[in-house]
Amino acid sequence: MTGDQAGWWWQRAAGGSVPGRRWRYHLAMSRVLVLLAAIVPTLASAETLIGHADHVRDGDTLVVSGVPIRLQGLAAPELGQTWGRASRDAMQRIVAGERLLCGLNGERSYDRSIGVCRLDDGRDIAAILVSEGIGRDCPRYSDGRYADDETDRSRNLLLPRYCRPH
């Protein structure tokens, strides 16, 4: 054995790594795998759903092609609250017979996917509800996307605690 070979054998026997390119390759591959494990769920979770509304649950939740969707950044009154049924009815009227394009962000709230849904002509459903005074901008989740659409009537609706920025 030469001196270099003896040194390599001694490192292996002591639990050390093999010198050379092999350990660099394994280190690089493990970094790639860690990076992929972090990125792939994010890429797989965001999706676009195209379809018709199967059902409207209330003013901020509808079911499109079997997928329950909570409209991101919209605060609509619950069915038992003042304007709750009007909000649901308006949502039903807006989406009736329309093809919807919903961009889902990969997040969930209870059994619902979170997303922004638009009519085929590009109008944002949540913006329509807010401009009709039966929904509010939910700043914690909208980043103010619907603030300019609010009317005096919509500003008088209860802003849920979960919508208030931390």
Side-chain angles (χ1 to χ4, degrees), residues 92 100 103 141 161:
Q92 287 174 333
L100 307 175
Y141 296 104
R161 184 175 288 153

Side-chain angles (χ1 to χ4, degrees), residues 31-47 105-106:
R31 288 181 177 163
V32 167
L33 290 174
V34 168
L35 183 62
L36 283 174
I39 292 174
V40 168
T42 304
L43 294 175
S45 64
E47 69 176 289
N105 67 11

